[in-house]
Amino acid sequence: LSFFFLDDEYRWKGPFYFIQGADPQFGLMKAWAVGDTNNGDDEWGEEIKLAEQAVQAINKLNPKPKFFVLCGDLIHGMPGTQWRKDQEQDLKNVLKNTDQDIPLVFVSGNHDIGNTPTRETIDNYCKNWGDDYFSFWIGGVFFLVLNSQLYFDSSKCPELKQAQDVWLNGQLAVAEKHKCKHIIVFQHIPLFLRKPDEDHDYFNLEKSVRQEIMEKFHKAGIKAVFSGHYHRNAGGSYRGLEMVVSSAIGCQLGEDTHGLRVVVVTDEKIVHRYYSLTELSSQGIEKELLDMLAKQN
């Protein structure tokens, strides 16, 4: 991602778009089908095909997206499980075929670092996929990638949660100084699925933690948070902060289709639409979004 840090990326240069995907999760489809999510993930041929379809669809797009972000659960095998290394290798083999002009951005999910991460599981993830939290600029827009497992359960590595918090506060101060157009966050676990005050369950963050983060994000002027984890499309908003939950490239747990989200960033807003992989590869992005991209400020 080094070329994102060029000085002129602090300046707004007109509308652009990126692609968000989530949960390729190699191994879940078989595990789900056999009803054994702990050890049933010994096949992932179906997910390989879907990930290949996603890469092919992205490579065909014109104009090209600025980047392709994968919002966690890259693979199904939890740290220490049998098929994990093979799943990671197979996913890397698919992703290598992404057009070299489209950078990949990785977000850590619970299956990547464990439901209760440790320093070791996080180090291991970082060796494989890059930092578990970081920021980058594109044309005056500030992007933050967060490790949401540290908000979900940091009991085995409280010092790492604290480090991310300190870092995040520093980053938000930088963003304020640079007067960026928008701030956009990527994390695996959604703050909430539909309503900011909904009950806590496996698919969202605990209420008091959520409230604190939402307030911090709202005060910082963050426009949108993009997540996965739910394997269904969902979302809502909190005081001008939009929570966007995207369904999976891999296993669907609801009525949605395997797909990707196209996110257009304009001068005044962030517009997005979820496409099925078939739709995106056969038709590409619809005219309405392309017209937004073509508008010069």
Side-chain angles (χ1 to χ4, degrees):
L1 286 173
S2 53
F3 66 89
F4 283 163
F5 296 101
L6 304 170
D7 280 349
D8 70 334
E9 290 302 340
Y10 293 130
R11 276 188 316 114
W12 174 252
K13 304 197 195 82
F16 64 87
Y17 82 103
F18 63 85
I19 301 288
Q20 181 216 8
D23 303 88
Q25 205 157 341
F26 283 20
L28 176 59
M29 289 171 91
K30 166 86 189 291
W32 194 255
V34 299
D36 179 1
T37 50
N38 293 330
N39 314 297
D41 59 331
D42 59 346
E43 285 173 32
W44 49 91
E46 196 58 40
E47 283 99 338
I48 290 177
K49 284 202 199 84
L50 291 161
E52 285 173 342
Q53 201 185 343
V55 167
Q56 285 158 4
I58 291 168
N59 287 348
K60 273 173 35 184
L61 295 172
N62 185 19
K64 289 189 198 309
K66 286 285 188 192
F67 60 90
F68 171 27
V69 58
L70 272 170
C71 279
D73 282 1
L74 306 172
I75 47 141
H76 182 68
M78 287 277 189
T81 57
Q82 188 178 1
W83 307 108
R84 183 178 169 90
K85 285 256 181 301
D86 294 341
Q87 290 167 358
E88 288 183 328
Q89 195 47 58
D90 284 354
L91 178 57
K92 286 178 181 178
N93 290 343
V94 172
L95 293 174
K96 290 213 280 275
N97 297 317
T98 311
D99 186 311
Q100 60 188 32
D101 295 330
I102 304 170
L104 294 166
V105 177
F106 298 109
V107 182
S108 62
N110 56 307
H111 283 264
D112 306 309
I113 59 178
N115 285 326
T116 306
T118 64
R119 183 176 281 277
E120 187 189 11
T121 63
I122 291 175
D123 282 349
N124 201 350
Y125 169 86
C126 293
K127 282 195 194 85
N128 258 307
W129 303 102
D131 292 339
D132 59 322
Y133 57 88
F134 57 96
S135 65
F136 57 94
W137 288 83
I138 294 181
V141 177
F142 191 43
F143 292 92
L144 291 159
V145 171
L146 299 179
N147 177 346
S148 55
Q149 287 317 116
L150 295 174
Y151 295 126
F152 192 81
D153 182 359
S154 62
S155 56
K156 289 192 178 155
C157 55
E159 75 289 355
L160 297 184
K161 176 190 186 292
Q162 196 191 348
Q164 177 172 255
D165 288 344
V166 168
W167 172 85
L168 178 58
N169 291 340
Q171 293 294 304
L172 294 175
V174 167
E176 189 177 25
K177 193 179 87 198
H178 278 286
K179 296 284 174 271
C180 49
K181 270 285 171 211
H182 306 289
I183 310 173
I184 294 173
V185 171
F186 299 119
Q187 59 186 57
H188 178 62
I189 300 185
L191 297 167
F192 57 88
L193 298 173
R194 291 193 172 79
K195 297 195 171 67
D197 59 352
E198 70 197 17
D199 288 340
H200 166 54
D201 67 22
Y202 175 77
F203 288 112
N204 60 20
L205 291 179
E206 198 271 313
K207 273 173 111 166
S208 62
V209 175
R210 179 196 316 167
Q211 189 56 43
E212 191 183 328
I213 298 170
M214 290 189 310
E215 246 334 278
K216 178 183 285 197
F217 285 2
H218 164 69
K219 282 204 183 83
I222 291 171
K223 295 275 175 65
V225 176
F226 289 89
S227 294
H229 189 52
Y230 191 44
H231 296 254
R232 284 155 281 214
N233 287 308
S237 63
Y238 171 81
R239 302 179 68 185
L241 167 73
E242 190 184 3
M243 180 68 243
V244 184
V245 184
S246 292
S247 196
I249 292 170
C251 190
Q252 300 299 313
L253 299 182
E255 301 303 304
D256 295 295
T257 46
H258 308 280
L260 294 165
R261 192 172 293 275
V262 172
V263 186
V264 176
V265 183
T266 75
D267 194 5
E268 60 279 334
K269 55 185 195 268
I270 294 154
V271 184
H272 51 85
R273 180 173 164 214
Y274 186 84
Y275 290 81
S276 76
L277 295 179
T278 320
E279 193 184 4
L280 195 59
S281 47
S282 59
Q283 292 153 31
I285 301 172
E286 81 235 60
K287 188 173 180 317
E288 187 191 352
L289 293 185
L290 288 171
D291 287 348
M292 285 182 177
L293 288 170
K295 280 206 172 67
Q296 280 314 311
N297 297 336

